[in-house]
């Protein structure tokens, strides 16, 4: 190994120590640290993040990357290090173009905007958030301009979260979905089922936690490389493939919420636990393509977890842990977890109407960045689109435009990745069934580990090293298409609702 590569690895290892500490601080802040302890945590987190940022934008790192990217040195690297060097060099060059004062002002404005969004949501008053949202839009435009000069702003932001999934592709996919799913949802709406109050009875949080462990074990989460804790809004965090942590929130009257969060976050975690360990603690490791990552959590949560057969081998166990489910048949349970209902809140939406929550946000973002619709007009545009796609009108902005955190920190372009994840899932399902046979049969026979193994080998192992379109091509052998997801929805809901 060249002296240069050795020095570079030593430098990376130093940076990793900062990252390790910031990850740990973040985890502790979101799970265990008391309210009064938060401020000190934020201070420490800011300190170590700044140190890490300084190292990741230093002259020294730039010089090493330049030298390692030069043809002679680069040729001598193995594929993993080729990826690491080219990815880090790209990001370094992008970030270095942002003037330090602009970046600092952005970080501060993000924090202020986050607080304003919380206040606005609590007070149900969009005018509190509006000036901050405008600032986030303007600053994101400026920053994106530095990072990707010459590239159209919204296109560059989409690329940030799901590289290569350009708006022409996304438009095509979402149009296909709209054309086929609007009539499907309308047919289902005519067959609405009444609410079943038994699913909202009191449910001991400790018992819910036991169910979470039962589910994590069942789907293949490795206990020796993972941990579980409680938080407000569930998330997954990784140190490396050897230490992946999931969180959950146990609502006393909504056991289904923690059950499906457990499976969803478990899906993210299984991905991170099964990345090639040679990639640990480098940019080749944890997958940074949000659509691809979300495709795994949503595959477990929806494609597997909302399939009746998933529950066949474990439904009795669920009843032992949560006694109220003993009184509910598996058929009734299956109906409830696939209850399609036009509703206001994205995170509570069913698998099918969820698509429209994302399409709406994608179109809103295009209205902001391409049609330059003024911020003041956005709430009305939101409500108009809700009416168009789901035939309901929010009573207030809290259940409308103020519901999501994403725009408050300028994460424009993030939303489409959730739905892209589901679109990929439709494709994976067809590829998987061609190779392993019927998923219904595999699940019914308790052979879910074979499905996990297939996903491990086809997707997880490669971590961040394959771009979304390359993953789809490698796993499915074809171009990305929404048709498999549409076929899946039509088959599933035709059966459930007797359409
Ligand atoms: Zn997720």
């Amino acid at each position: 190994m060249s002296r240069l590569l050795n020095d570079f690895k030593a430098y990376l290892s130093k940076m990793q120590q900062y990252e390790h500490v910031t990850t740990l601080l973040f985890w502790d802040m979101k799970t265990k640290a008391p309210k009064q302890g938060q401020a000190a945590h934020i201070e420490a987190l800011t300190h170590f993040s700044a140190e890490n940022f300084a190292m990741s934008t230093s002259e020294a790192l730039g010089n090493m990357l330049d030298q390692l990217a030069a043809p002679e040195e680069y040729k001598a690297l193995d594929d993993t290090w080729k990826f690491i060097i080219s990815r880090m060099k790209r990001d370094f060059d992008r970030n270095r173009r942002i003037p330090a004062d602009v970046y600092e002002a952005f970080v501060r404005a993000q924090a202020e905007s986050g607080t304003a969004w919380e206040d606005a949501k609590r007070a149900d008053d969009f005018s509190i958030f509006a000036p901050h949202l405008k600032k986030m839009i303007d600053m994101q435009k400026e920053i994106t301009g530095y990072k990707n000069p010459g590239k159209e702003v919204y296109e560059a932001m989409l690329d940030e979260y799901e590289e290569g999934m350009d708006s022409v592709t996304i438009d095509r996919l979402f149009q296909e979905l709209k054309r086929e799913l609007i009539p499907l949802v309308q047919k289902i709406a005519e067959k609405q089922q009444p609410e079943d109050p038994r699913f909202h009875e009191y449910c001991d949080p400790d018992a819910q936690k036991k169910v979470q462990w039962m589910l994590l074990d069942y789907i293949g989460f490795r206990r020796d490389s993972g941990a579980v804790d409680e938080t407000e809004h569930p998330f997954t965090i990784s140190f490396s493939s050897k230490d992946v942590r999931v969180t959950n929130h146990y609502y006393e009257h909504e056991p289904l919420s923690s059950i499906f969060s457990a499976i969803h976050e478990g899906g993210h975690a299984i991905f991170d636990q099964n990345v090639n360990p040679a990639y640990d603690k480098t940019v080749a490791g944890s997958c940074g393509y949000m659509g691809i990552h979300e495709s795994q959590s949503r595959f477990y949560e929806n494609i597997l977890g909302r399939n009746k057969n998933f529950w066949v081998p474990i439904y009795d166990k669920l009843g032992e842990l949560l006694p109220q489910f003993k009184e509910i048949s598996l058929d009734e349970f299956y109906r409830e977890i696939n209850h399609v209902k036009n509703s206001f809140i994205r995170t509570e939406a069913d698998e099918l109407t969820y698509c429209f929550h994302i399409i709406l946000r994608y179109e809103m973002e295009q209205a902001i960045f391409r049609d330059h619709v003024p911020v003041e007009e956005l709430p009305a545009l939101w409500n108009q689109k809700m009416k168009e796609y789901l035939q309901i009108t929010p009573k207030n902005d809290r259940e409308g435009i103020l519901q999501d955190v994403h725009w408050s920190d300028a994460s424009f372009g993030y939303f489409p990745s959730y739905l892209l994840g589901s679109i990929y899932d439709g494709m994976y399902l067809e590829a998987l069934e061609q190779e392993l046979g019927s998923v219904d049969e595999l699940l019914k026979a308790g052979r879910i580990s074979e499905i996990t193994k297939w996903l491990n080998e086809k997707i997880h192992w490669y971590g961040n090293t394959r771009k979304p379109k390359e993953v789809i091509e490698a796993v499915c052998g074809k171009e990305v298409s929404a048709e498999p997801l549409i076929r899946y929805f039509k088959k599933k809901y035709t059966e459930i609702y007797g359409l």
Side-chain angles (χ1 to χ4, degrees), residues 264 268 294 297:
H264 181 96
H268 281 304
E294 208 58 36
S297 52

Side-chain angles (χ1 to χ4, degrees), residues 452-476:
T452 291
K453 184 163 173 279
W454 190 87
L455 295 168
N456 289 164
E457 288 170 356
K458 298 273 178 180
I459 299 164
H460 307 158
W461 180 256
Y462 299 92
N464 200 30
T465 61
R466 291 192 312 199
K467 291 178 195 162
K469 281 185 177 170
E470 294 167 352
V471 177
I472 301 300
E473 178 60 37
V475 179
C476 310

Side-chain angles (χ1 to χ4, degrees), residues 400-413:
I401 193 169
L402 285 175
Q403 65 182 273
D404 289 307
V405 67
H406 302 59
W407 291 345
S408 75
D409 67 357
S411 299
F412 306 102

